[in-house]
Amino acid sequence: MADRSGFWTTPPEALAGEGIVVRLLPPVPQIMVSGDLDGFAAAHGLPPPLGLLAATAGPRYALRLARNRMLAVGIGLDPAAGGWVDGAALTPMTGALAVIGITGENAMALVARATAIDPRRPSASAALMFAGATAALCRHDGGLRLHLDRGLVPWLMSWCAATDLFRAPGN
Amino acid sequence: MQIFSCPFCGPRPEYEFHFGGDLGNHRPEGFDAVPDQKWADYLYFRNNPKGMAREVWMHLTCGEMFSMTRDTVTMEAAPGEALAEGQP
Ligand SMILES: [Zn+2]
């Protein structure tokens, strides 16, 4: 087959600007849970699922995506073990969802460009439209974590690079 | 930017929502027995009121379908109401 890889540029997996770093993290174990969220959280010792831009830390947390759905983070799932388990539908998401770390004192400046949400107003769901793509956003260890479809990572990196946050002055 | 309010997530920017049609425009039951006019009403005719409209909207990021009362003249939108039974 002809090699067409040269047709397109490869976006970087990390970008740095003044007071901001955006970086694709190594795969983070994730499970999408639909149904009995309380039961799943209790069985796995997970804290209650977080809403939009809520603060968390460490490897294990949960993000509320919808009324009956959350993303359990820090817990892996063998695909063969997925499906309907104890009142919840479990879907392994480690491959499907990339996690992007956004750090630095200007991290929220990127959020201001990517969405029109009010960052001071709590919302029950961590899901939002970020740069036109559906994603989930929380504060994590002093920075931000964006859980995003892995196939959209090159798009997001290109989009970030096009903002003024990552351009040297005069460029 | 107009702000709509999802019954689950609360106030969010309008681009996170998608219009879902007139509230109460149910698909006719009966297949072959449904007269052409009824199918046409369901598929092509809209209430299109001047003033208060009762509509179905979807919050794309959480997937919630809900009803919303919106003034088509002033664009004022009341907070969405859950369609699922027993939900706030
Ligand atoms: Zn919502």
Side-chain angles (χ1 to χ4, degrees):
Chain A
M1 198 190 291
D3 179 6
R4 298 303 193 209
S5 61
F7 279 22
W8 294 278
T9 56
T10 307
E13 295 194 339
L15 287 167
E18 201 174 314
I20 183 167
V21 174
V22 175
R23 177 181 287 116
L24 173 65
L25 303 182
V28 174
Q30 295 162 88
I31 307 172
M32 181 116 78
V33 183
S34 309
D36 182 5
L37 307 185
D38 293 342
F40 183 89
H44 291 83
L46 271 180
L50 303 167
L52 187 61
L53 279 168
T56 184
R60 280 166 75 90
Y61 56 95
L63 300 179
R64 193 76 179 262
L65 300 178
R67 202 183 277 283
N68 60 355
R69 179 167 285 178
M70 70 176 180
L71 189 66
V73 182
I75 309 174
L77 179 71
D78 187 313
W84 188 253
V85 181
D86 297 332
L90 308 183
T91 311
M93 297 299 280
T94 307
L97 289 179
V99 181
I100 310 270
I102 306 167
T103 51
E105 72 266 19
N106 281 334
M108 287 305 288
L110 187 70
V111 176
R113 284 157 179 76
T115 87
I117 55 152
D118 179 350
R120 291 155 304 180
R121 188 198 286 266
S123 175
S125 156
L128 82 170
M129 210 86 101
F130 193 97
T134 299
L137 184 66
C138 66
R139 298 180 205 269
H140 185 273
D141 283 338
L144 298 168
R145 271 190 170 190
L146 184 73
H147 296 247
L148 173 81
D149 278 2
R150 195 172 296 280
L152 297 178
V153 171
W155 143 257
L156 186 80
M157 289 298 180
S158 314
W159 183 91
C160 288
T163 69
D164 62 341
L165 294 171
F166 301 95
R167 260 179 261 146
N171 280 0
Chain B
M1 176 75 60
Q2 179 153 25
I3 305 296
F4 291 152
S5 192
C6 165
F8 181 67
C9 305
R12 293 291 189 107
E14 60 175 309
Y15 60 76
E16 291 192 356
F17 295 84
H18 197 272
F19 180 59
D22 292 323
L23 186 68
N25 184 29
H26 301 300
R27 181 185 167 91
E29 295 290 342
F31 200 52
D32 281 348
V34 176
D36 293 350
Q37 185 59 48
K38 207 166 179 188
W39 273 122
D41 281 351
Y42 166 71
L43 290 171
Y44 302 114
F45 287 84
R46 302 290 171 253
N47 295 342
N48 197 26
K50 181 177 182 182
M52 286 302 169
R54 294 276 290 151
E55 297 166 336
V56 174
W57 284 77
M58 184 180 193
H59 188 203
L60 297 169
T61 61
C62 79
E64 179 115 349
M65 303 274 291
F66 59 94
S67 67
M68 191 162 77
T69 303
R70 192 173 62 89
D71 190 316
T72 62
V73 177
T74 66
M75 297 300 163
E76 193 179 341
E81 296 160 65
L83 291 173
E85 260 179 74
Q87 301 287 3

